[in-house]
Every structure is written in C-alpha cells, then in structure tokens.
Amino acid sequence: MCIFEPFVADEYIERLVWRTPGGGSRGGPEAFDPKRLLEEFVNHIQELQIMDERIQRKVEKLEQQCQKEAKEFAKKVQELQKSNQVAFQHFQELDEHISYVATKVCHLGDQLEGVNTPRQRAVEAQKLMKYFNEFLDGELKSDVFTNSEKVNKLLAISISGICKYHDLECQLIQEFTSAQRRGEISRMREVAAVLLHFKGYSHCVDVYIKQCQEGAYLRNDIFEDAAILCQRVNKQVGDIFSNPETVLAKLIQNVFEIKLQSFVKDQLEECRKSDAEQYLKNLYDLYTRTTNLSSKLMEFNLGTDKQTFLSKLIKSIFISYLENYIEVETGYLKSRSAMILQRYYDSKNHQKRSIGTGGIQDLKERIRQRTNLPLGPSIDTHGETFLSQEVVVNLLQETKQAFERCHRLSDPSDLPRNAFRIFTILVEFLCIEHIDYALETGLAGIPSSDSRNANLYFLDVVQQANTIFHLFDKQFNDHLMPLISSSPKLSECLQKKKEIIEQMEMKLDTGIDRTLNCMIGQMKHILTAEQKKTDFKPEDENNVLIQYTNACVKVCAYVRKQVEKIKNSMDGKNVDTVLMELGVRFHRLIYEHLQQYSYSCMGGMLAICDVAEYRKCAKDFKIPLVLHLFDTLHALCNLLVVAPDNLKQVCSGEQLANLDKNILHSFVQLRADYRSARLARHFS
C-alpha cells in the first residue's frame, strides 16, 4: 500500500539543493556555486512546467471522458426509467385485468353453484321419471322395484308422503310463521332447513320478508326505517337460512321495488307538471337519500356484484324521471332567471329597450359620441346603473343549485354536456341580459363631451360590473369546472367565457374613454367660465397678490373628486391605466389652455402658481409619467418670468434641455414683452 506524504515546498527545495553539486553551504567536496544552483533551479522549474502541462492535458482528457460517460450513463438511466414506467404501467393493467378476471371467475363459480343444485334435482327427477315409465310399462327391472326392502319403503312413501305433501308443506310454513312471531330463531332455522330442497322454501323466504317488515315503517323517514330494518335482518338472517346473502338481497329488492318506488312516485307525480321547482327539489332529495341508503347497504354481503345489483334497483325507481331531467332543469332555470330579471326591472319601473341593433338610432348615437354633433339627447337613466348584486346573487344561487342537481342526477356520460347547457343559460341571463344590457344602457347614457354638469355615473357601472363578474368567475371555477374538467366541453366553456370577457372589456373601455372625454369637457367649461384674460395680464401690476386663480381652484377640486371616484370604481392595474390616461389628457388641456393668453411679469407668476397647484393635484394620481409632465410644464412657465439675459440658461436646464425648440419658443412668445428687440435677440 502506497502512502503519500503531504507536499512541503521548503523540504522539497532543501532536498533539491543538497542533491545539486555546489549547492551546499558548509563546504564539502565542492564549494558553494550559486550560478550552478540557479541553473539547476531554472531547469527544474521548466521540467515541472512541462510535467504540469502534461498532467493538465491528461486531467482535461479524463474530465471530458468522464463528462461523456456521465451523459451516456444519464441517458441510459432515463431509458431505464422509461422502460420501468412502461413495465409498471403494464403491471398495473395486468393487475387490473387479473382482478377483473378473478371477479368474473368468482361470479361464474357462484352461477355454477346456483346451477348445480337444480341440475342435481333434474338428475333425480330424471331417475324418478324413469322409474315411473317402468312402472307404467309394466317392465319392472330397476332395483327399486325388485328389491323387497326398497319396495316396502316406496309403498310407505307413496301412502304417507305423496298424499300429504301439500298439507305438510303448508303446516311447515305455518310453523315457520308462528316461530318468527314468537322470535324462536332455532325453530325457524329447523323449518327452513327442512324446506330447503322443496318449492316451499321460497314461500318460507317470502313469509319471512313480509313479516319482518311489519311495523318497520313507523317513522316519518322511510329511508332511515329501511336502513334500520336491513341492519336488523342482516344480524338475524345468518342464524336462520343457509344462504343469508340471497335472502337479504331479496328483502332489499322488495324494499326498493315496493316501498321506495311507491313513496318516490307519490312524492314526484303530484308536482311533476304543476311545480317544476318543487319537483326538481324533491327529485334531488329523493335520489340523494336513495343513493345514501344504497351506500349503507354496501356494507352487507349481498353476493359478488352488490354494487351493480343496487345500481339496477336505483335505476328501476328513477329511470322514468332521469331520462328527461335536464329538459326540466333547463326549462325551469330559464323561466326562473327571466322572472328574477323582470321582477327587478319592474321594481325600477323600467321597460327594457333594444340598444345597439344597428338601426338609425344606433347610427345617430355612434356619430354623436364620436363627433359631438347635436343629433339629439342621450338616454337619461337618472344615474341608475341597472345592475343589482341581489339579482346576481339570486341568479348565481339558482345556477349553483342547478349544477348540484346536474352533478347528482346526470349520467356520467351526459354530465359535461348537461353542465354546459346550464352554463349557457347563466351566460344568457347574467352576462348578456343583465350585465351587457347595463353596459349598453350606460354607454347610451354617457353625455357628449361638451355637456355641462353631466352626471358621469358610468364609473359606477364599471365598479358594479367588475364586482359581478368576479362572482361569475368564482362560480365558474368552483361549480362548473369540476363537472367538465376532464371532458372536451372544458375548452368550449373557456372559449365562451373568453368571448364574454372580451366583449365586456371592449364596452367598458369605450365607456371609460367617453367618460374621460366628458371629464375633460367639464374641466374645459370651468376654465372657459372662470379664467379671465386679466388674470395673467393685470391692469395694476403692483397690487396683485400671488395666489391661485379661481379657475385653478375649481378645476383642481373637480379633478381630485374624479380621481377619488376612479380609485373607488376600479381595482388592480386598471386604476393606474385609467388615471394615467386622465392625467395625460388633463396635462394636454392645461397646456393648451395656457397657450391662449399673453402674460405680463406678474401674470406669469400667477400662471406659475396655478401650474404648481395643478402639479400638486397631479401627485394624487401617483403616476410618475403624469407628475413628470406637470414638472416639465412648471419649468416651461418659468420662461414667462425669467429675465431676458437668463433665457438661454433656463432653456438649457435639466428639465427643458430635451424639449423641442418650437415648444420653448411658443412659451416665450406668450410674454407680453416678446416683441422687444432685446428679448428676441437673447432668445435667438
């Protein structure tokens, strides 16, 4: 075993020095020779460098080889994992197939066992018929007729048995009945064992089933009574009959086909045609309670395929009601949704009108909104949004119940299709008949941008529409998605939802844009009415107090009110988007407004004060771009008051250096002293 000592540079150099002739320092055979020692060091360093390069190349080669082998190994591992997954999947399929075959084999064994007993009886009957043929033909060859002992037994049976068989069977069944009433389990078991191989056995079972149900349905809940009855019989039947699972299954079949079927029919038929709502509620309740009862009965031993057995019993009760369930459901949901909406509009004394049909009125409305031409007044809704959360909650609640019934009552193969039909009804009445109608009405109710004191209530429509659509989206995810998630209807529902969202967003965007135009129009009316030319060119320059103009105060108050309204009406990024658009338009309005006046030195100071107040108002937007625009406008207003000698310096400042010279020139031209030769010379 090779043990490597740690490398120590000082010791290594020391050994090299001692091995080199002339490297000693204390005399010896050769005197100390520094040149020779230096030469030895240089040569040795070169050898080490060559060795280092050789080792480095070898290391790189080994690393490349290692990386290559690692990739190949990883690839092999992936292939093995895929093979393992395929093998595991095949194993699962094989295991399922084995389980399926085992179930069938057990079922077949039970069937064969059930067939074997009648077969044995048939063989015995065949022998008996053979004996009768011999007896009738007179050719008595069988041992039964030739053996004297057997002949005596046959005679005894003929005399005492055949003639009394029917009476004896009746007596045994009567004895079983009496024993059951007395609760004598052992006697019942004895009689059942005697009758097992005779036709009277089935009568014995029928009697037991009939008597055990006497007094069992005393409560108001027939399903609970049935469950208690089956639990009691399940504990008892094994002590009486040799085939308890068959007897219990027959009892359950009797309960379902007679008691439950009659009860369900009485509950449903009386309201099937007269009251769809009550009919659907009863159907859902009865079907749910029946399936719950079936789940409890699954605990009992009813044979090999008890789930199929119970499913057939449930289907036999409800098949006539489930075949057309979805037609009743959709018909009721449509009428109920229409009634909820109509009741709401009646409470508002509102007659729904057709909006956006492409007629002359629609054309006029579009031209008026786009061009502000006086084509007649817009629809006056008196600030009513025609959106109601109460209506929405009622519609969603009705649809939620419909989804729940659909999930319970639909066949699994029909479930996605039925759920989609319910979803389309929700879209029709909630999204189109209510939300979309409110948006169309709101759009028609937006006044033109030149209207004065207009009621800009469309933002209220936006707020309520967003809230309602969040509720709609929640129900889509919570109640519809689980029903269609694994079917082709999923993509169809998502596409329909996407189309609805896009249509609403387009109308909301249009309404918000028109509302912003109206806001700017209101600001323009305020500025036109309140701003005077003498504000920025006062007659007495010495008696002017530096303050805001009345127009500025009123505009800022109006803007702050609208900003607050926008923040309350929207959420998320929509707030910033709308505020940015309003802020840009607000800046453009003030910019163009200031261009209309001529400014004296004191008037310029008033303009700067106004813009400073506008800038303070812009801070409420909390939008960097809007604040930057007003900062730049404030810097431009400084050109109205700066001394002519300092114009170039101000124009080359940080905030104005990047602006177009025409913009700067346009503001300088607003100065009352612009035409003086001195000012023109300084700015040129």
Side-chain angles (χ1 to χ4, degrees):
M1 180 177 180
C2 182
I3 299 177
F4 294 95
E5 297 179 356
F7 177 76
V8 181
D10 293 340
E11 293 181 2
Y12 179 78
I13 294 174
E14 188 70 25
R15 288 197 300 269
L16 178 61
V17 169
W18 282 106
R19 288 200 306 267
T20 302
S25 59
R26 296 184 180 179
E30 297 183 11
F32 175 70
D33 188 352
K35 291 183 178 180
R36 189 171 182 180
L37 185 60
L38 176 62
E39 182 179 353
E40 184 65 24
F41 277 167
V42 171
N43 292 336
H44 201 75
I45 289 172
Q46 291 177 351
E47 290 177 0
L48 289 175
Q49 288 177 342
I50 294 171
M51 184 181 298
D52 178 64
E53 293 174 357
R54 188 183 303 119
I55 293 173
Q56 187 63 33
R57 287 195 298 270
K58 187 174 182 180
V59 168
E60 291 175 353
K61 183 177 180 181
L62 290 174
E63 287 179 347
Q64 293 175 356
Q65 184 178 357
C66 181
Q67 292 176 355
K68 181 178 179 182
E69 291 179 354
K71 290 181 180 179
E72 292 177 352
F73 180 74
K75 184 176 180 182
K76 288 181 180 179
V77 170
Q78 290 178 351
E79 292 175 353
L80 288 174
Q81 287 178 341
K82 291 180 180 178
S83 300
N84 185 45
Q85 290 176 353
V86 172
F88 182 72
Q89 183 178 357
H90 288 169
F91 175 77
Q92 285 183 324
E93 294 174 355
L94 180 60
D95 183 59
E96 292 175 358
H97 188 66
I98 290 173
S99 299
Y100 174 77
V101 172
T103 302
K104 290 296 181 182
V105 169
C106 292
H107 182 63
L108 182 59
D110 292 338
Q111 290 180 331
L112 290 175
E113 184 180 355
V115 170
N116 186 50
T117 300
R119 181 177 176 278
Q120 289 178 350
R121 293 176 182 174
V123 171
E124 294 174 356
Q126 184 184 21
K127 290 180 180 180
L128 183 59
M129 292 172 66
K130 180 181 177 183
Y131 296 148
F132 273 114
N133 286 335
E134 289 183 11
F135 180 77
L136 294 174
D137 293 340
E139 299 178 2
L140 305 176
K141 299 178 182 180
S142 298
D143 184 58
V144 175
F145 301 111
T146 58
N147 190 313
S148 60
E149 184 180 351
K150 292 184 178 180
V151 170
N152 291 331
K153 289 182 178 179
L154 182 60
L155 288 173
I157 292 173
S158 300
I159 294 171
S160 64
I162 296 176
C163 296
K164 298 294 183 179
Y165 171 77
H166 181 71
D167 293 338
L168 182 59
E169 186 180 74
C170 292
Q171 291 177 8
L172 288 173
I173 293 175
Q174 185 62 39
E175 176 64 21
F176 182 89
T177 304
S178 300
Q180 184 176 2
R181 288 175 179 171
R182 294 193 301 268
E184 297 177 358
I185 302 298
S186 59
R187 183 56 180 163
M188 293 169 65
R189 180 171 61 250
E190 292 175 359
V191 176
V194 173
L195 292 171
L196 178 61
H197 299 292
F198 300 94
K199 65 178 181 180
Y201 182 75
S202 62
H203 296 304
C204 178
V205 173
D206 293 338
V207 167
Y208 175 77
I209 290 175
K210 180 181 178 181
Q211 286 200 165
C212 69
Q213 294 186 72
E214 293 178 358
Y217 306 102
L218 299 178
R219 302 175 183 83
N220 293 327
D221 191 344
I222 189 174
F223 297 95
E224 185 64 24
D225 288 338
I228 294 174
L229 169 64
C230 293
Q231 288 174 354
R232 175 168 56 83
V233 171
N234 180 61
K235 295 177 181 179
Q236 184 185 79
V237 72
D239 297 332
I240 301 173
F241 299 97
S242 59
N243 55 342
E245 66 280 355
T246 304
V247 177
L248 184 59
K250 193 169 184 179
L251 168 65
I252 291 173
Q253 183 176 359
N254 184 276
V255 170
F256 271 76
E257 293 180 350
I258 296 178
K259 289 293 182 181
L260 293 185
Q261 188 162 12
S262 176
F263 179 77
V264 168
K265 185 177 180 180
D266 292 342
Q267 293 290 315
L268 294 179
E269 290 298 332
E270 62 181 1
C271 60
R272 188 171 188 175
K273 296 181 179 179
S274 60
D275 190 344
E277 179 182 10
Q278 191 61 44
Y279 170 75
L280 289 170
K281 288 181 178 179
N282 288 351
L283 178 59
Y284 175 77
D285 179 63
L286 291 170
Y287 189 83
T288 301
R289 294 168 72 186
T290 305
T291 52
N292 290 341
L293 173 61
S294 174
S295 299
K296 294 178 181 178
L297 300 180
M298 284 288 291
E299 301 173 1
F300 306 144
N301 181 16
L302 306 176
T304 55
D305 200 357
K306 53 187 176 183
Q307 184 170 5
T308 303
F309 169 71
L310 292 171
S311 297
K312 287 181 178 179
L313 291 178
I314 295 174
K315 186 175 181 181
S316 66
I317 296 176
F318 292 97
I319 185 170
S320 61
Y321 305 107
L322 298 182
E323 285 178 342
N324 66 337
Y325 150 72
I326 193 61
E327 303 301 332
V328 179
E329 184 72 80
T330 53
Y332 165 72
L333 186 59
K334 285 181 180 179
S335 62
R336 179 66 177 170
S337 300
M339 185 191 71
I340 291 172
L341 289 178
Q342 190 58 48
R343 184 183 298 167
Y344 168 71
Y345 294 122
D346 289 345
S347 69
K348 298 292 183 181
N349 294 323
H350 176 73
Q351 180 66 37
K352 288 187 74 174
R353 65 191 75 196
S354 178
I355 298 178
T357 58
I360 298 299
Q361 295 299 326
D362 181 53
L363 178 62
K364 286 183 177 182
E365 174 64 16
R366 291 176 182 274
I367 294 175
R368 186 185 65 78
Q369 293 290 353
R370 292 178 181 274
T371 63
N372 294 327
L373 293 177
L375 298 177
S378 60
I379 297 175
D380 188 3
T381 61
H382 304 288
E384 178 60 57
T385 64
F386 292 108
L387 288 172
S388 168
Q389 286 199 27
E390 181 181 357
V391 169
V392 173
V393 169
N394 289 336
L395 290 175
L396 291 176
Q397 182 64 24
E398 293 291 341
T399 311
K400 175 186 175 182
Q401 294 174 357
F403 280 134
E404 291 175 349
R405 289 192 291 264
C406 176
H407 189 197
R408 174 71 69 177
L409 302 176
S410 295
D411 187 89
S413 60
D414 297 331
L415 178 58
R417 182 167 61 254
N418 292 347
F420 179 74
R421 291 181 63 178
I422 294 173
F423 172 66
T424 57
I425 295 173
L426 176 64
V427 169
E428 176 185 355
F429 286 94
L430 176 62
C431 298
I432 297 177
E433 293 295 330
H434 192 56
I435 303 178
D436 190 70
Y437 175 75
L439 293 179
E440 288 285 0
T441 304
L443 287 173
I446 298 176
S448 61
S449 58
D450 58 352
S451 299
R452 298 190 179 188
N453 301 320
N455 182 12
L456 304 180
Y457 81 101
F458 189 80
L459 292 179
D460 296 332
V461 178
V462 174
Q463 179 186 13
Q464 294 183 30
N466 284 333
T467 301
I468 291 171
F469 199 80
H470 285 320
L471 296 175
F472 168 77
D473 190 55
K474 187 177 187 305
Q475 185 170 94
F476 182 93
N477 295 325
D478 293 348
H479 296 96
L480 177 61
M481 285 291 288
L483 307 184
I484 61 173
S485 58
S486 57
S487 75
K489 285 293 180 181
L490 174 60
S491 59
E492 195 171 346
C493 288
L494 291 174
Q495 179 62 29
K496 194 171 188 66
K497 177 185 171 186
K498 180 182 177 183
E499 292 173 358
I500 290 294
I501 293 175
E502 290 176 350
Q503 291 175 6
M504 291 185 179
E505 286 181 344
M506 181 177 66
K507 291 177 182 180
L508 288 172
D509 289 345
T510 302
I512 291 171
D513 181 71
R514 294 179 184 178
T515 301
L516 293 181
N517 285 338
C518 289
M519 291 179 182
I520 298 302
Q522 298 283 12
M523 298 180 207
K524 189 178 295 185
H525 282 309
I526 295 173
L527 291 173
T528 301
E530 300 294 334
Q531 198 81 72
K532 300 176 182 178
K533 291 186 178 181
T534 56
D535 287 343
F536 303 117
K537 201 173 182 180
E539 296 178 358
D540 188 354
E541 293 277 331
N542 297 323
N543 292 328
V544 176
L545 298 176
I546 302 299
Q547 60 182 358
Y548 320 119
T549 64
N550 192 44
C552 172
V553 172
K554 290 188 175 182
V555 167
C556 288
Y558 179 80
V559 170
R560 288 190 174 97
K561 182 179 178 181
Q562 303 312 311
V563 169
E564 188 65 25
K565 192 169 186 178
I566 290 173
K567 290 180 178 180
N568 293 333
S569 302
M570 300 179 189
D571 54 10
K573 296 182 179 180
N574 294 329
V575 177
D576 292 342
T577 302
V578 175
L579 286 179
M580 179 182 293
E581 184 62 29
L582 176 63
V584 171
R585 298 185 189 187
F586 175 38
H587 167 266
R588 186 185 304 120
L589 173 67
I590 301 302
Y591 177 87
E592 293 175 353
H593 174 71
L594 294 174
Q595 294 279 336
Q596 300 174 12
Y597 300 93
S598 177
Y599 300 87
S600 64
C601 181
M602 186 57 65
M605 294 298 296
L606 282 172
I608 290 175
C609 291
D610 276 4
V611 173
E613 186 65 17
Y614 291 139
R615 182 175 62 176
K616 186 184 299 183
C617 184
K619 290 181 180 179
D620 295 340
F621 287 66
K622 296 182 180 180
I623 305 296
L625 173 62
V626 176
L627 185 59
H628 173 72
L629 290 174
F630 278 94
D631 286 342
T632 304
L633 182 60
H634 188 267
L636 283 170
C637 288
N638 287 329
L639 298 178
L640 301 175
V641 298
V642 69
D645 295 339
N646 298 329
L647 272 176
K648 284 189 176 181
Q649 181 181 355
V650 173
C651 289
S652 60
E654 181 180 353
Q655 290 183 313
L656 302 180
N658 296 326
L659 292 181
D660 187 272
K661 288 187 177 181
N662 293 328
I663 296 176
L664 301 175
H665 193 194
S666 66
F667 262 81
V668 174
Q669 286 179 323
L670 300 177
R671 294 172 60 128
D673 58 351
Y674 172 73
R675 296 189 177 279
S676 66
R678 180 186 178 194
L679 182 60
R681 182 177 65 257
H682 278 285
F683 188 74
S684 61

